[in-house]
Amino acid sequence: MSSHEVVPASEQPAPVTGGSQKRATPSAVAWRFVTIAGVLLIVVFAIWHFWIQPYRWQRQAVRDIQSGRLDNARSLLEQAIHRRPSDAQSRLRLCQLLDIAGETDRAVQHLYRLPDGVRSREDVLINLGRLLVSLRRPAEAEGELRRCVQLYPQSVRSRQLLLDLYRWQHRDEEGLAIRHELAILARDMSIADQLWVLLRSFIEEYSKIEDQENWEQLIHWWEKDNNDVQVRIAMARH
């Protein structure tokens, strides 16, 4: 065959392609659709099951608490926590109800199970310390309250609970150090807050020197406003 002879089309080799292209069959398309739909249904169910429904229970529990239906609120909060253990708000509300019901040990257990970010909040540490004191677990209580003071240097309430704890344990030197810290914190407060800190921290059990200092401060407030009811009550207690 010469180089100029034309080869019939039927005898020409087929063009080489990058690979065979297969069209999806109707059954494959349907299977893909079913798979995607199934995944979406699972996602929607999970959102409803673990987020939306527990949130609805929590909101209803809040309304029940406001209406005085505490038993129903407690049941709803327990359901929400069972469904979503990381639900911090439901745990905190349930702890309040357990505290009211006198189930202090269960309240403490729920506080210990809070997520780390919530577990380190000032109000949570203070309540945990208070409940542990009532359960006669002073070492744990002191640890939580000391942690609160470390994380929140301006915390007055945690120091007052520590002061109560040291008073009961007759740890006078440590109690005196806490009172000194409270007196320093009170300097930058409003007059009403100063009065509250002094009444709560010093007057329950005080030395003659502290009593004299408190009395002079009360006289100062009395001279500024002799109609202040809180000042009158404080002076009457002296």
Side-chain angles (χ1 to χ4, degrees):
M1 180 184 296
S2 66
S3 59
H4 299 288
E5 188 175 351
V6 177
V7 179
S10 59
E11 297 181 10
Q12 293 181 359
V16 178
T17 61
S20 60
Q21 296 181 353
K22 296 182 179 179
R23 291 185 179 181
T25 62
S27 60
V29 173
W31 176 249
R32 289 177 186 174
F33 175 78
V34 170
T35 302
I36 294 172
V39 171
L40 289 175
L41 285 174
I42 292 173
V43 171
V44 170
F45 174 78
I47 292 174
W48 170 264
H49 187 80
F50 293 107
W51 278 275
I52 297 178
Q53 185 60 54
Y55 178 77
R56 287 165 62 90
W57 284 334
Q58 182 196 136
R59 297 308 303 165
Q60 181 58 49
V62 171
R63 290 191 287 269
D64 287 342
I65 292 172
Q66 293 171 345
S67 303
R69 298 191 296 270
L70 301 186
D71 289 339
N72 191 55
R74 176 171 169 173
S75 176
L76 289 171
L77 292 171
E78 287 174 342
Q79 290 181 63
I81 294 169
H82 179 74
R83 182 72 60 84
R84 187 166 173 247
S86 61
D87 186 352
Q89 289 303 316
S90 292
R91 281 195 189 276
L92 288 172
R93 297 186 193 281
L94 180 60
C95 286
Q96 293 174 346
L97 295 180
L98 292 171
D99 189 17
I100 292 172
E103 298 182 44
T104 309
D105 189 55
R106 287 197 61 201
V108 167
Q109 291 175 17
H110 279 287
L111 289 176
Y112 273 134
R113 292 173 187 167
L114 286 169
D116 290 340
V118 180
R119 171 80 170 72
S120 299
R121 276 174 26 183
E122 181 182 7
D123 60 322
V124 173
L125 292 170
I126 288 172
N127 277 322
L128 186 53
R130 177 180 61 83
L131 294 173
L132 288 168
V133 168
S134 67
L135 289 173
R136 300 182 183 277
R137 292 156 64 177
E140 290 178 70
E142 182 178 4
E144 298 298 335
L145 294 171
R146 279 293 182 187
R147 183 185 177 200
C148 186
V149 170
Q150 183 179 10
L151 293 175
Y152 306 94
Q154 303 299 313
S155 178
V156 170
R157 185 64 181 134
S158 59
R159 285 180 170 87
Q160 290 175 334
L161 289 171
L162 278 171
L163 184 60
D164 290 339
L165 183 62
Y166 293 154
R167 181 183 296 119
W168 296 331
Q169 295 179 327
H170 304 289
R171 295 162 64 180
D172 297 335
E173 291 186 4
E174 290 161 293
L176 184 61
I178 292 293
R179 286 181 174 182
H180 180 68
E181 293 176 11
L182 286 166
I184 293 174
L185 289 175
R187 292 174 184 173
D188 298 326
M189 297 180 180
S190 66
I191 291 178
D193 287 341
Q194 286 183 26
L195 178 61
W196 175 74
V197 170
L198 291 173
L199 286 174
R200 176 66 180 78
S201 306
F202 292 89
I203 295 179
E204 288 183 329
E205 185 178 296
Y206 46 82
S207 67
K208 292 296 181 181
I209 296 176
E210 290 170 345
D211 177 48
Q212 182 63 29
E213 290 175 347
N214 287 338
W215 180 253
E216 290 174 357
Q217 188 64 51
L218 288 172
I219 291 295
H220 173 69
W221 288 327
W222 170 266
E223 291 173 347
K224 293 182 65 173
D225 182 7
N226 56 18
N227 292 317
D228 190 313
V229 174
Q230 290 179 309
V231 173
R232 285 174 175 265
I233 294 173
M235 295 182 74
R237 290 184 61 177
H238 274 62

